[in-house]
Amino acid sequence: MNFDYEQFFIQHFTVKNKRERLQFELSNESRRQNAISRFDHNAMKYIDERKLIYSGNDISWSNLKKLIYENTDERKCYIISCYEEIDRTMVKVEELFGRVIGLGKASIMIFTNMAVIETEQIQGPAMKYVLKL
């Protein structure tokens, strides 16, 4: 199965008027980081709020993992990240903390029925958004 996680994320979790631009930038190597960095400070301009099941910066790693396990059977997710070493990789849920979450810049974790977005950390914990179909 060749599932296009990036296209899925754009079509199901972002607002319609931002989709075309995000798709173009994510697929263009010279503009990819621009697309990802849009989620550093302006995530709510891009997120389809109808899919939002959590937003805040006060969720612990154990509660976030529990929320993921309650909402999907998948134990791996696709990563879109400002960090090139993890961008476009599949990561096990158990490895998200420290490998993806808490790095300081935007990362998007995509499952086939949900997504988790972590924004740039400025002061205190970074904002996290959990979206579900």
Side-chain angles (χ1 to χ4, degrees):
M1 181 170 129
N2 189 12
F3 187 77
D4 188 338
Y5 286 92
E6 294 184 9
Q7 182 65 30
F8 173 80
F9 172 75
I10 291 167
Q11 289 303 312
H12 294 285
F13 297 114
T14 62
V15 292
K16 194 173 189 175
N17 66 333
K18 304 286 187 186
R19 290 177 186 164
E20 190 175 327
R21 185 72 185 171
L22 275 174
Q23 181 66 48
F24 168 74
E25 288 183 341
L26 281 174
S27 63
N28 182 312
E29 287 306 313
S30 65
R31 296 179 187 258
R32 184 171 178 83
Q33 287 300 314
N34 291 344
I36 300 167
S37 67
R38 293 179 189 283
F39 291 90
D40 277 338
H41 305 289
N42 298 309
M44 287 306 295
K45 289 183 179 179
Y46 292 87
I47 292 172
D48 182 347
E49 291 184 49
R50 298 172 299 170
K51 312 289 174 54
L52 198 60
I53 61 171
Y54 170 82
S55 83
N57 63 357
D58 60 348
I59 192 166
S60 68
W61 164 238
S62 60
N63 286 337
L64 180 58
K65 187 165 60 170
K66 182 180 175 186
L67 187 61
I68 292 169
Y69 285 162
E70 288 172 352
N71 288 286
T72 187
D73 292 331
E74 293 175 79
R75 297 299 175 248
K76 281 180 148 181
C77 61
Y78 179 84
I79 307 299
I80 296 174
S81 179
C82 286
Y83 298 97
E84 291 182 18
E85 60 274 8
I86 58 172
D87 188 35
R88 297 181 174 133
T89 63
M90 295 293 291
V91 174
K92 292 179 183 177
V93 171
E94 294 80 23
E95 297 173 358
L96 287 175
F97 186 74
R99 224 174 134 206
V100 180
I101 295 173
L103 295 180
K105 300 276 292 163
S107 289
I108 303 166
M109 295 141 268
I110 308 165
F111 300 84
T112 56
N113 69 326
M114 66 180 294
V116 178
I117 300 168
E118 182 177 52
T119 65
E120 182 177 23
Q121 181 180 6
I122 297 171
Q123 183 176 8
M127 285 293 291
K128 292 170 190 66
Y129 302 95
V130 180
L131 304 110
K132 185 177 178 207
L133 291 180

